[in-house]
Amino acid sequence: MKTLVAYFSQTGNTKKIAEAIFDEITGEKDIKDIKYVSNFDGYDLIFVGSPVMEFNIPKNVTNLISENVADKNMAFFMTHAVPEGFESIKSWTGSIEDFAASGNFLGTFECQGELAQHVYDMLINSGNPEMKGFAEMSLAGKGQPDETSVQKAREFAKEIQGKV
Ligand SMILES: Cc1cc2nc3c(=O)[nH]c(=O)nc-3n(C[C@H](O)[C@H](O)[C@H](O)COP(=O)(O)O)c2cc1C
C-alpha cells in the first residue's frame, strides 16, 4: 500500500500536522507540497491538508480533490484560526465531504493554527467589528498546533490507515 500526504501551507501550521501524519504512516509513503501534486495516480490512500482561508477551503485544494478523488481512499486534515467547537468548522469539513463524494472518504482531522501576525494586524485595524472580533478570537490559538494537536493527528493517521 502506498500513501500520499499532500498539504497546502503558507505559515507552516498545516505542514506541521502533515509531517506528524506522515511520520505515523507505515509502508510506502510520500509527502508533498500540494503545488507539486497534479493527481493521485499510484496511491492507495491520500491525505490532503489545508488551512481555512477567507471562510473557505482554498480552490487549489478543493479542485485537486474533486478532480482526482474518484474511487480513491482519501482523508482530510485542516487547520483554522477559530477555536475548537466554532460553528463554521462543521460547514468547512462538510464541504470537503461534498467535494470528495466520488471517492471513499475516510474522515477529517481539524485543529487550531495560529493566525499569521500580518493577518491579525490587518483584521484588528480593519475598522470592521466582525473582523476585529475574529482577530481577537484567534488569539487563543497562539502557539497552535501544539504537541497535543500533533499527537491527535498521529492517532488520526493510525485510525485512517487502519480503515484501508
Ligand atoms: C489570508 C488568510 C485568511 C484566513 N482566513 C481564515 C478563516 O476564514 N477562518 C479561520 O478559521 N482561519 C483563517 N485563517 C487562519 C488560518 O487558517 C490558520 O492560521 C492556519 O493554521 C494557517 O495554516 P498554514 O500555516 O498551514 O498556512 C486565515 C489565514 C490567512 C493567512
Side-chain angles (χ1 to χ4, degrees):
M1 192 177 88
K2 192 167 179 187
T3 303
L4 172 66
V5 180
Y7 63 89
F8 177 45
S9 184
Q10 291 189 316
T11 59
N13 298 336
T14 314
K15 185 177 182 192
K16 189 171 178 183
I17 297 300
E19 286 168 348
I21 289 171
F22 182 71
D23 273 358
E24 197 63 36
I25 292 295
T26 56
E28 254 194 290
K29 55 185 179 178
D30 290 322
I31 182 167
K32 289 184 185 174
D33 187 312
I34 209 166
K35 63 181 175 224
Y36 303 116
V37 179
S38 52
N39 59 61
F40 298 156
D41 293 357
Y43 294 100
D44 307 296
L45 169 63
I46 303 102
F47 289 83
V48 179
S50 175
V52 173
M53 294 179 80
E54 290 159 12
F55 300 97
N56 264 308
I57 309 298
K59 275 261 169 295
N60 59 333
V61 176
T62 56
N63 285 347
L64 180 74
I65 293 171
S66 60
E67 287 163 15
N68 295 286
V69 75
D71 303 322
K72 291 283 184 184
N73 297 308
M74 197 210 106
F76 184 65
F77 57 102
M78 168 180 99
T79 67
H80 49 77
V82 294
E84 199 178 323
F86 189 79
E87 190 57 29
S88 310
I89 294 173
K90 281 192 214 130
S91 67
W92 296 326
T93 57
S95 74
I96 288 299
E97 288 178 31
D98 292 342
F99 283 112
S102 65
N104 180 27
F105 190 73
L106 299 169
T108 298
F109 172 82
E110 49 83 14
C111 70
Q112 209 172 4
E114 182 172 333
L115 184 65
Q117 188 68 42
H118 71 278
V119 182
Y120 176 84
D121 292 342
M122 188 186 74
L123 297 175
I124 279 289
N125 298 318
S126 65
N128 177 334
E130 205 185 334
M131 289 300 122
K132 206 171 161 211
F134 178 78
E136 281 161 359
M137 188 168 57
S138 78
L139 282 176
K142 276 260 177 242
Q144 295 290 349
D146 63 5
E147 200 37 53
T148 304
S149 295
V150 165
Q151 191 50 42
K152 283 184 184 161
R154 287 178 176 279
E155 283 158 24
F156 169 75
K158 218 183 304 178
E159 182 199 320
I160 294 294
Q161 199 172 26
K163 289 182 180 179
V164 178

